[in-house]
Amino acid sequence: MLRVALIRGGRAHYWWVCTFHHMVLDGRAMAVIFREALELHDALAAGRACELPPARPYRGYIDWLERLDWSRRDKFW
């Protein structure tokens, strides 16, 4: 449901290809993955270690969902 490939197209040309099913990632998650991939690339290219921030626990998202007021959404739909 998720494929990632790094394709070499010459001495200095590479393509990073990522395909995924929409149930695996949404647009917001894909933006995070792209940002982290670019940070890793820049760090490797500069010869330094890359320190990504720790991932936020999924539990925080569930807690946020539980605090939402669904009454307005229920009326709309």
Side-chain angles (χ1 to χ4, degrees):
M1 307 221 17
L2 173 73
R3 290 185 182 158
V4 178
L6 182 63
I7 302 167
R8 185 174 184 178
R11 290 186 62 141
H13 292 90
Y14 293 87
W15 292 277
W16 183 57
V17 180
C18 179
T19 59
F20 58 92
H21 190 277
H22 67 92
M23 289 183 66
V24 176
L25 295 170
D26 62 1
R28 186 177 300 172
M30 201 63 212
V32 172
I33 289 173
F34 280 134
R35 185 180 62 244
E36 289 184 356
L38 290 174
E39 288 178 26
L40 287 167
H41 170 270
D42 291 346
L44 287 171
R48 60 178 168 77
C50 182
E51 305 242 354
L52 296 173
R56 293 173 60 184
Y58 187 71
R59 180 73 232 169
Y61 175 68
I62 299 301
D63 292 340
W64 174 76
L65 283 176
E66 290 174 346
R67 290 191 305 270
L68 290 177
D69 177 15
W70 293 95
S71 61
R72 287 182 53 206
R73 289 173 184 85
D74 290 342
K75 286 180 185 177
F76 178 80
W77 292 107

